mmCIF file of all heavy atoms in Angstrom:
data_model
loop_
_atom_site.group_PDB
_atom_site.id
_atom_site.type_symbol
_atom_site.label_atom_id
_atom_site.label_comp_id
_atom_site.label_asym_id
_atom_site.label_seq_id
_atom_site.Cartn_x
_atom_site.Cartn_y
_atom_site.Cartn_z
ATOM 1 N N ARG Q 572 17.678 9.192 9.350
ATOM 2 C CA ARG Q 572 17.861 7.839 9.920
ATOM 3 C C ARG Q 572 16.569 7.032 9.831
ATOM 4 O O ARG Q 572 16.596 5.838 9.571
ATOM 5 C CB ARG Q 572 18.272 7.958 11.382
ATOM 6 C CG ARG Q 572 19.648 7.462 11.637
ATOM 7 C CD ARG Q 572 20.026 7.711 13.062
ATOM 8 N NE ARG Q 572 20.873 6.615 13.498
ATOM 9 C CZ ARG Q 572 21.548 6.614 14.616
ATOM 10 N NH1 ARG Q 572 21.448 7.624 15.439
ATOM 11 N NH2 ARG Q 572 22.297 5.593 14.925
ATOM 12 N N ALA Q 593 14.184 -2.234 12.575
ATOM 13 C CA ALA Q 593 15.327 -1.598 11.903
ATOM 14 C C ALA Q 593 15.850 -0.420 12.734
ATOM 15 O O ALA Q 593 17.063 -0.214 12.823
ATOM 16 C CB ALA Q 593 14.927 -1.138 10.511
ATOM 17 N N LEU Q 594 14.947 0.358 13.312
ATOM 18 C CA LEU Q 594 15.388 1.480 14.158
ATOM 19 C C LEU Q 594 16.114 0.997 15.394
ATOM 20 O O LEU Q 594 17.141 1.572 15.785
ATOM 21 C CB LEU Q 594 14.182 2.344 14.561
ATOM 22 C CG LEU Q 594 13.668 3.302 13.495
ATOM 23 C CD1 LEU Q 594 12.345 3.912 13.927
ATOM 24 C CD2 LEU Q 594 14.691 4.392 13.218
ATOM 25 N N GLU Q 595 15.612 -0.058 16.021
ATOM 26 C CA GLU Q 595 16.280 -0.600 17.198
ATOM 27 C C GLU Q 595 17.688 -1.066 16.852
ATOM 28 O O GLU Q 595 18.640 -0.824 17.595
ATOM 29 C CB GLU Q 595 15.459 -1.739 17.802
ATOM 30 C CG GLU Q 595 14.196 -1.268 18.468
ATOM 31 C CD GLU Q 595 13.312 -2.393 18.992
ATOM 32 O OE1 GLU Q 595 13.341 -3.508 18.427
ATOM 33 O OE2 GLU Q 595 12.590 -2.153 19.967
ATOM 34 N N LEU Q 596 17.815 -1.699 15.718
ATOM 35 C CA LEU Q 596 19.130 -2.164 15.266
ATOM 36 C C LEU Q 596 20.042 -0.969 14.995
ATOM 37 O O LEU Q 596 21.200 -0.930 15.430
ATOM 38 C CB LEU Q 596 18.973 -3.024 14.016
ATOM 39 C CG LEU Q 596 20.209 -3.724 13.496
ATOM 40 C CD1 LEU Q 596 20.729 -4.723 14.529
ATOM 41 C CD2 LEU Q 596 19.899 -4.431 12.202
ATOM 42 N N ASP Q 597 19.520 0.034 14.302
ATOM 43 C CA ASP Q 597 20.296 1.223 13.943
ATOM 44 C C ASP Q 597 20.683 2.027 15.179
ATOM 45 O O ASP Q 597 21.810 2.521 15.283
ATOM 46 C CB ASP Q 597 19.497 2.090 12.969
ATOM 47 C CG ASP Q 597 20.308 3.246 12.436
ATOM 48 O OD1 ASP Q 597 21.450 3.024 11.988
ATOM 49 O OD2 ASP Q 597 19.811 4.394 12.483
ATOM 50 N N LEU Q 598 19.762 2.145 16.126
ATOM 51 C CA LEU Q 598 20.031 2.919 17.342
ATOM 52 C C LEU Q 598 20.841 2.143 18.372
ATOM 53 O O LEU Q 598 21.375 2.710 19.318
ATOM 54 C CB LEU Q 598 18.709 3.393 17.962
ATOM 55 C CG LEU Q 598 17.861 4.333 17.095
ATOM 56 C CD1 LEU Q 598 16.497 4.557 17.721
ATOM 57 C CD2 LEU Q 598 18.584 5.660 16.884
ATOM 58 N N GLY Q 599 20.870 0.834 18.214
ATOM 59 C CA GLY Q 599 21.641 0.001 19.126
ATOM 60 C C GLY Q 599 20.976 -0.237 20.477
ATOM 61 O O GLY Q 599 21.626 -0.632 21.426
ATOM 62 N N ALA Q 600 19.671 0.009 20.540
ATOM 63 C CA ALA Q 600 18.949 -0.192 21.804
ATOM 64 C C ALA Q 600 17.476 -0.422 21.481
ATOM 65 O O ALA Q 600 16.959 0.100 20.497
ATOM 66 C CB ALA Q 600 19.091 1.028 22.701
ATOM 67 N N PRO Q 601 16.816 -1.193 22.325
ATOM 68 C CA PRO Q 601 15.385 -1.418 22.095
ATOM 69 C C PRO Q 601 14.572 -0.153 22.401
ATOM 70 O O PRO Q 601 14.947 0.644 23.266
ATOM 71 C CB PRO Q 601 15.016 -2.539 23.062
ATOM 72 C CG PRO Q 601 16.062 -2.498 24.116
ATOM 73 C CD PRO Q 601 17.307 -1.935 23.487
#
Side-chain angles (χ1 to χ4, degrees):
R572 246 175 146 169
L594 282 170
E595 289 176 331
L596 187 63
D597 187 49
L598 298 171

